Amino acid sequence: MPVKENAVLEMKNIHKSFPGVRALDGVDFSLCEGEIHALMGENGAGKSTLIKVLTGVYEKDEGDIFLKGHDKAVAIRSPQDAQNLGISTVYQEITLCPNLTVAENMYIGRGKSKLTKWRKMNADADRILENLGIPAKANQQLSDCSIAVQQMVAIARAVDMDCKVLILDEPTSSLDESEVEKLFGLMKDLRARGVGIIFVTHFLDQVYEVCDKITVLRDGRLVGEYVIEDLPRVKLVAKMLGKELDDMEEIKDENQMYKGPDERVIEVEGLQSDAGIKPFDFYIKKGEVNGFTGLLGSGRSECVRAIFAADKVVAGTVKKNGKAVKITKPLDAMKNGIAYLPEDRKRDGIVGDLSVRDNIILAAQVLRGFFRPFSKAEANKFADEYIKLLEIKTASADTPIKSLSGGNQQKVILARWLLTHPEYLILDEPTRGIDIGTKIEIQKLVLKLASEGMSVTFISSETDEMLRTCSRLVVMRDRKVVGELSKDELTQSKVMETIAGGGME
């Protein structure tokens, strides 16, 4: 069965099961030439499995894959098969070699001929880079390039291999706004050249900025394929969640505000760390949700890392409930009822080879002391309690945390800190890289914890998320505090105006 007109790829009735889990249940997917097609769904919806079937990482149980130029279904049993058929993937985490040059990365693993003809290899690489408008030179060390340029080099490698289908799996999660724009420019250029692009992302704004179509998966099944103009954002969210969601603003209305005494739990004055932030003052009240906002690199994360002493504190004072306390290391912060969920959960949060249970009890065990280990019964009780409370999707508490989806890993780290019963909880990018449903769950949980008297600092690169969650925002620019917003000032335009340092153009 040849593909339909203009289609470069068609996947028909794809099934894939793992022990106890049906990951894909009769999924169809089609991609046209010169099209950027978003593949959307919550964590666990089947996006990654579908991509891995298409790229030969997994072998499908049932179904057919058709490509333009082939009279019958193609067999893809390995990533090499996919590459030979013109299917290339660029992953969120760069898989190139930073110690090699740009040209070497573009041609490595593709036979000896070009690697032994350095002058021709560099000339060919420079021609491709210039043709695609990529700001890099063939003889430049890859490690000297920004993450965005490294992503583009990976795309250039795929394009030079005559790819017909380009899969971009969360390519923008580590990029700032200007880098995202450069990547989008390259994607649009490739679209104009007839390349079909599958774009996997959690950023709704980016989907509506660059994509032509959206396919939505839920629980391993196809929900539908839509032209971008026919699917408003609210409807997209509803289809991904499987329920109607009239307005994200209703999240805050579902939680009662804290009604207790108006008292400051944590106050800092002139706090400064060795991470380069200017001395700053800060306070948070009991039952309050506040946040630090600003552009990437503004110093918002460095501020909370200083409060938790995750970075070395070089000046300033900290008070808890009005009394001065000495916090020079994270353990001091923990003993004073402060918990911190870091920005990079993979680097600073999860311990990948440990079980869900061991990751949950880790902080509580540190506070208790490793010479007084929890009994197996206690550890199981804590793990079961928080797996149920946060609806963590895992086969069991014994499952290694690295096997869980990103959203569920985040819930485990959140459970770790909730088990310490903190008075003050710092959440730095708690919803980055996770699905919309889990984002909403975490936002609701934050407001519930605050209503019960916990103080929470919430940091997100998505301003609308902070406006839904926080009652006060500290605005950062150039690693210093430049303003504070609350009540009627909590609007997108006011945040941007404060970050910019004056009137809006």
Side-chain angles (χ1 to χ4, degrees):
M1 171 188 163
V3 296
K4 64 186 179 184
E5 187 178 359
N6 292 330
V8 67
L9 163 73
E10 288 195 60
M11 304 178 75
K12 295 286 188 182
N13 193 37
I14 304 297
H15 291 258
K16 179 63 183 176
S17 294
F18 301 99
V21 179
R22 178 169 285 185
L24 295 174
D25 188 3
V27 172
D28 294 342
F29 178 83
S30 66
L31 176 70
C32 291
E33 294 178 287
E35 173 181 270
I36 302 177
H37 196 134
L39 184 59
M40 304 289 289
E42 297 187 76
N43 288 335
K47 306 186 302 293
S48 294
T49 305
L50 188 68
I51 294 302
K52 287 177 179 177
V53 166
L54 178 58
T55 55
V57 177
Y58 294 153
E59 193 165 343
K60 57 185 167 47
D61 299 333
E62 188 180 334
D64 295 300
I65 300 174
F66 300 93
L67 287 170
K68 184 174 183 179
H70 296 263
D71 294 331
K72 58 183 180 179
V74 296
I76 305 177
R77 299 188 179 90
S78 70
Q80 188 63 50
D81 285 346
Q83 188 172 296
N84 293 340
L85 288 165
I87 301 170
S88 294
T89 308
V90 177
Y91 294 100
Q92 173 182 351
E93 295 169 357
I94 305 294
T95 54
L96 302 178
C97 302
N99 58 316
L100 299 181
T101 67
V102 168
E104 287 169 334
N105 271 283
M106 289 174 63
Y107 293 112
I108 192 169
R110 295 167 58 184
K112 297 181 180 179
S113 58
K114 285 198 174 181
L115 283 174
T116 55
K117 298 177 181 177
W118 297 99
R119 184 175 296 176
K120 184 176 188 321
M121 179 182 75
N122 285 334
D124 288 349
D126 274 330
R127 176 180 51 78
I128 295 162
L129 294 168
E130 184 178 356
N131 192 25
L132 294 175
I134 298 173
K137 293 295 184 183
N139 60 1
Q140 185 177 354
Q141 191 94 349
L142 188 73
S143 58
D144 294 336
C145 301
S146 69
I147 296 296
V149 172
Q150 291 183 37
Q151 293 274 21
M152 292 180 187
V153 169
I155 294 173
R157 171 184 165 90
V159 171
D160 188 49
M161 294 168 69
D162 195 27
C163 83
K164 300 176 180 64
V165 175
L166 177 63
I167 303 164
L168 300 179
D169 190 0
E170 297 283 359
T172 63
S173 59
S174 301
L175 308 183
D176 63 27
E177 288 182 18
S178 63
E179 291 174 326
V180 169
E181 285 304 313
K182 290 177 185 174
L183 180 62
F184 282 178
L186 178 55
M187 289 168 63
K188 291 171 182 176
D189 184 35
L190 293 174
R191 175 174 61 187
R193 297 165 187 249
V195 178
I197 301 174
I198 301 174
F199 184 38
V200 182
T201 182
H202 288 296
F203 296 107
L204 293 188
D205 288 348
Q206 295 179 5
V207 169
Y208 283 87
E209 181 175 346
V210 78
C211 293
D212 304 298
K213 288 182 184 174
I214 302 174
T215 286
V216 180
L217 301 182
R218 186 174 67 245
D219 298 329
R221 296 185 177 91
L222 174 67
V223 176
E225 177 189 291
Y226 309 91
V227 175
I228 195 88
E229 292 84 1
D230 297 339
L231 191 66
R233 298 181 193 208
V234 171
K235 288 188 178 180
L236 171 58
V237 172
K239 291 182 184 300
M240 291 171 65
L241 297 179
K243 58 185 178 183
E244 289 303 319
L245 188 67
D246 293 331
D247 192 346
M248 299 281 272
E249 297 295 337
E250 68 188 27
I251 292 173
K252 191 174 282 189
D253 296 337
E254 294 176 3
N255 297 271
Q256 298 297 317
M257 302 294 286
Y258 175 67
K259 304 298 183 184
D262 184 15
E263 55 191 37
R264 296 185 178 188
V265 176
I266 296 291
E267 297 176 81
V268 306
E269 185 175 338
L271 200 65
Q272 186 178 8
S273 75
D274 63 358
I277 53 167
K278 307 294 191 298
F280 70 96
D281 300 338
F282 171 78
Y283 71 88
I284 188 166
K285 297 180 180 179
K286 188 175 179 65
E288 179 186 22
V289 182
N290 69 13
F292 286 87
T293 188
L295 301 178
L296 196 69
S298 63
R300 60 196 188 203
S301 294
E302 286 79 4
C303 284
V304 292
R305 288 179 64 84
I307 295 169
F308 191 71
D311 294 329
K312 184 180 179 181
V313 175
V314 296
T317 59
V318 180
K319 291 181 181 179
K320 180 189 173 188
N321 298 325
K323 295 182 179 180
V325 292
K326 187 176 182 181
I327 299 178
T328 59
K329 56 184 181 296
L331 184 57
D332 295 336
M334 292 166 64
K335 288 179 177 177
N336 279 284
I338 302 175
Y340 168 54
L341 188 149
E343 179 180 13
D344 190 335
R345 66 170 173 265
K346 288 189 176 179
R347 186 187 67 190
D348 301 324
I350 69 170
V351 184
D353 291 328
L354 293 185
S355 67
V356 170
R357 178 197 303 106
D358 290 340
N359 271 276
I360 287 176
I361 68 170
L362 188 59
Q365 185 65 75
V366 169
L367 283 171
R368 182 185 172 105
F370 284 105
F371 292 108
R372 297 175 56 219
F374 290 117
S375 68
K376 189 171 183 179
E378 288 176 309
N380 283 331
K381 175 178 175 293
F382 293 143
D384 291 344
E385 177 184 350
Y386 282 93
I387 287 171
K388 182 178 180 181
L389 175 68
L390 299 182
E391 298 181 358
I392 299 169
K393 293 179 181 177
T394 178
S396 75
D398 291 313
T399 302
I401 190 173
K402 64 184 179 184
S403 302
L404 272 57
S405 67
N408 284 296
Q409 288 178 2
Q410 198 75 308
K411 288 183 180 181
V412 171
I413 305 307
L414 188 54
R416 173 192 296 169
W417 290 112
L418 293 180
L419 181 57
T420 68
H421 303 290
E423 293 179 62
Y424 175 36
L425 176 62
I426 301 169
L427 301 175
D428 192 356
E429 295 284 7
T431 65
R432 175 186 285 171
I434 64 177
D435 61 81
I436 295 171
T438 307
K439 283 188 179 190
I440 295 171
E441 288 177 31
I442 289 176
Q443 291 168 29
K444 288 182 176 180
L445 176 63
V446 164
L447 291 165
K448 180 176 184 294
L449 292 170
S451 73
E452 295 169 352
M454 190 180 292
S455 304
V456 184
T457 290
F458 187 95
I459 297 176
S460 172
S461 53
E462 299 182 35
T463 308
D464 60 338
E465 188 172 47
M466 297 193 71
L467 293 174
R468 287 196 299 273
T469 312
C470 300
S471 57
R472 185 163 56 90
L473 289 179
V474 177
V475 184
M476 304 287 300
R477 184 177 69 248
D478 300 330
R479 295 182 175 260
K480 63 183 178 182
V481 175
V482 295
E484 183 179 299
L485 305 175
S486 60
K487 298 181 180 177
D488 293 342
E489 295 176 316
L490 289 173
T491 63
Q492 286 269 14
S493 59
K494 189 65 178 177
V495 169
M496 290 191 294
E497 181 182 334
T498 308
I499 289 172
M504 297 286 290
E505 290 186 6

